[in-house]
Amino acid sequence: MSLSPVEGVALAEIESGADAGEKKGFVGRSPGQLAWARLRRDRTAVVSGAMLVFFVLVALAAPLIEMAYGIGPREQFQSRLDDFSMPLGYAGGVTAEHWFGLEPGLGRDIFIRLVHGLRTSLFIAFAAAVITAAIGIVLGTLAGYLGGWIDAVINWITDLTLAMPFLIIALALTPTIALRFYGQREAVPPSFQVGVLIAIFALFGWTSTARLVRGQVITLREREFVEAARASGAGLGHMLFRQLLPNIWAPILVSFSLAVPAYITSEAALSFIGVGLTDDTPSFGRMIYRSLDFLQTDPAYVFFPGITIFALVFAFNLFGDALRDALDPKSSR
């Protein structure tokens, strides 16, 4: 009986430890259980994973934190500013009431804006990563398995998309789409801005996943377990989603974990140059942009959003690397 690569890896690891398993009472484990065991042994994965869980929980609990904190992201405290519109007190106006101080000029609370900015960034990044992964998986699987003219057309579309300069098109598309639905004097809703960013990321982000999946499917489509399923009369859906995809989920998962921080930084960069989110929507990019004028007079203003986005992206990258090592059967970690 032929085995799929995933089943073969699990069987090899189980057989290699069979003697020790008989003595210690170990039982056979699936590839997912083996990867989870490696991940739990990796201190970097544990620490970075705990950081990510913390950030996600803070983002999900943003409305509850706002209620407990008693301050909204758009509230202004002009009375706490001096004649030069600078926060009164030390470190940008840090007090028991305003944990991270106030914004110069408008007097908005930095802490609650960071909480809502974290919620915005994670929502955009996860939504864009899910959409791009879905598009890339479908197109890559079809191209790799069917081949022929379908493979040629999908590769041509992929090459065309990769040839387009992302930043230039994003600079042109974002305001154009907003003007298409809203006039120059109309306020663009934050939900529309978020949707436009997700759509732009999805337009350009699916190519890497598609090429990764296509290469993996090409290496698997002639394997014995695929030939056996095809000979038994399995349909296209069964071949793609029951035979091929379960054997390539590991690189897809790693690609997804590394795409999320890329979208976080991309959203911050677009908001920084003024084509992403506006000041009405809390965003790391807009906060860092506004803080540049106060680097010498109020360095705390740029420190808090800067260190937050650094820690978030750093934790994602560390966890992605650890996940790749855990899912690699040949890894020694």
Side-chain angles (χ1 to χ4, degrees), residues 178-193:
L179 289 175
R180 174 64 179 81
F181 293 92
Y182 300 91
Q184 294 183 351
R185 297 182 179 180
E186 294 182 79
V188 181
S191 59
F192 182 84
Q193 298 171 354

Side-chain angles (χ1 to χ4, degrees), residues 3-6 140-141 143-146 151 210-227 230 243-245 247-249 251:
L3 298 175
S4 67
V6 171
T141 305
Y145 181 72
L146 297 179
D151 186 22
R211 285 197 163 183
L212 172 66
V213 173
R214 175 182 176 272
Q216 295 289 325
V217 170
I218 289 177
T219 61
L220 293 177
R221 67 184 182 185
E222 303 301 331
R223 299 290 294 271
E224 292 83 358
F225 72 97
V226 176
E227 293 290 346
R230 188 184 297 118
Q243 297 296 328
L244 294 174
L245 282 184
N247 291 284
I248 59 175
W249 64 271

Side-chain angles (χ1 to χ4, degrees), residues 8 11 34 45 58 62 69 99 133 151 163 171 174 178 180 238 244 251 257 300-301 328:
L11 182 60
L34 294 172
V58 170
Y69 194 57
W99 295 352
D151 186 22
L171 288 172
T174 305
R180 174 64 179 81
H238 178 86
L244 294 174
S257 66
Y301 186 19
D328 184 6

Side-chain angles (χ1 to χ4, degrees), residues 277-300:
L277 303 176
T278 61
D279 281 337
D280 292 336
T281 305
S283 167
F284 291 131
R286 294 307 300 172
M287 294 183 70
I288 295 175
Y289 172 77
R290 285 179 49 84
S291 67
L292 293 181
D293 296 332
F294 307 98
L295 282 177
Q296 294 183 347
T297 57
D298 188 6

Side-chain angles (χ1 to χ4, degrees), residues 72-141:
R74 295 178 178 84
E75 291 186 46
Q76 300 183 15
F77 299 88
Q78 297 289 339
S79 61
R80 302 291 181 89
L81 305 179
D82 60 17
D83 295 336
F84 300 97
S85 297
M86 297 298 297
L88 297 171
Y90 298 99
V94 174
T95 61
E97 183 181 356
H98 305 286
W99 295 352
F100 291 173
L102 300 173
E103 289 183 341
L106 296 178
R108 295 178 298 193
D109 187 90
I110 294 177
F111 170 77
I112 198 63
R113 289 189 67 81
L114 277 180
V115 171
H116 283 271
L118 181 65
R119 180 185 181 93
T120 302
S121 295
L122 286 178
F123 175 77
I124 292 175
F126 273 108
V130 169
I131 294 175
T132 54
I135 297 174
I137 289 171
V138 172
L139 294 181
T141 305

Side-chain angles (χ1 to χ4, degrees), residues 2 24 28 30 35 49 69 78 138 160 162 196 200 247 257 280 313 323:
S2 60
K24 299 181 181 181
S30 66
Y69 194 57
Q78 297 289 339
V138 172
L160 179 63
L162 289 172
V196 170
I200 291 176
N247 291 284
S257 66
D280 292 336
V313 174
L323 183 63

Side-chain angles (χ1 to χ4, degrees), residues 142-276:
L142 289 175
Y145 181 72
L146 297 179
W149 67 269
I150 295 180
D151 186 22
V153 170
I154 294 177
N155 278 330
W156 182 82
I157 297 175
T158 303
D159 293 336
L160 179 63
T161 305
L162 289 172
M164 296 179 180
F166 167 74
L167 184 59
I168 295 177
I169 294 181
L171 288 172
L173 277 182
T174 305
T176 302
I177 295 175
L179 289 175
R180 174 64 179 81
F181 293 92
Y182 300 91
Q184 294 183 351
R185 297 182 179 180
E186 294 182 79
V188 181
S191 59
F192 182 84
Q193 298 171 354
V194 170
V196 170
L197 283 179
I198 294 175
I200 291 176
F201 291 152
L203 179 64
F204 290 92
W206 59 270
T207 53
S208 58
T209 303
R211 285 197 163 183
L212 172 66
V213 173
R214 175 182 176 272
Q216 295 289 325
V217 170
I218 289 177
T219 61
L220 293 177
R221 67 184 182 185
E222 303 301 331
R223 299 290 294 271
E224 292 83 358
F225 72 97
V226 176
E227 293 290 346
R230 188 184 297 118
S232 64
L236 178 62
H238 178 86
M239 296 298 301
L240 297 182
F241 298 104
R242 298 294 298 275
Q243 297 296 328
L244 294 174
L245 282 184
N247 291 284
I248 59 175
W249 64 271
I252 293 174
L253 189 58
V254 173
S255 176
F256 179 87
S257 66
L258 296 177
V260 173
Y263 291 134
I264 292 175
T265 55
S266 297
E267 179 272 322
L270 290 177
S271 299
F272 179 86
I273 60 179
V275 297

